[in-house]
Amino acid sequence: QVQLVESGGGLVQAGGSLRLSCAVSGRTFSNYAVGWFRQAPGKEREFVSGLSWGGGSRYYIDSVKGRFTISRDNAKNTVYLQMNSLKPEDTAVYVCAATIRATMPQSYWEYEYRGQGTQVTVSS
């Protein structure tokens, strides 16, 4: 059974930074593509960033390009989302997800494994 556990969320002022971590356990992590989703109150869930299983392909939603960086450490079975220059509109619950597909789908339900989420709150 694959499990994903996020950490690193919290309250930060606008312009600040946070690094989210997603620890993956249960199977060989390097064989998974991973993605980060977020959902703010009253809004639809959106695909924020993704990383292919080989690490050669990355995706970012336009609103976070240049501010967020996704990375993975296969030795630690962990994927990260470095978030800089945070804005109040980045406030949401962030969820990591993993799939055995080589590339990262943008649909939340196409990921076989999903975490519980971590809250990120950016104050103005």
Side-chain angles (χ1 to χ4, degrees):
Q1 183 71 18
V2 175
Q3 291 186 321
L4 285 71
V5 179
E6 303 94 337
S7 61
L11 174 63
V12 64
Q13 288 188 334
S17 298
L18 286 173
R19 188 177 78 159
L20 304 184
S21 299
C22 176
V24 182
S25 62
R27 292 183 65 176
T28 304
F29 176 59
S30 60
N31 294 338
Y32 291 91
V34 292
W36 284 96
F37 292 82
R38 69 184 181 186
Q39 187 166 20
K43 295 187 177 181
E44 292 188 355
R45 185 184 296 113
E46 62 180 353
F47 181 56
V48 177
S49 181
L51 184 62
S52 60
W53 71 345
S57 181
R58 286 175 169 82
Y59 170 86
Y60 299 99
I61 194 172
D62 284 347
S63 60
V64 308
K65 285 181 180 177
R67 300 189 298 122
F68 290 12
T69 302
I70 190 171
S71 62
R72 65 193 298 163
D73 185 335
N74 289 341
K76 296 182 177 179
N77 288 348
T78 302
V79 60
Y80 304 98
L81 186 67
Q82 178 68 44
M83 306 186 297
N84 299 328
S85 301
L86 283 161
K87 304 175 181 180
E89 52 263 43
D90 294 318
T91 294
V93 174
Y94 285 71
V95 178
C96 71
T99 175
I100 59 174
R101 301 167 192 255
T103 56
M104 57 282 183
Q106 296 192 23
S107 170
Y108 182 75
W109 301 109
E110 291 190 60
Y111 288 79
E112 293 87 358
Y113 310 104
R114 299 176 287 272
Q116 294 298 310
T118 185
Q119 176 70 47
V120 171
T121 303
V122 184
S123 63
S124 57

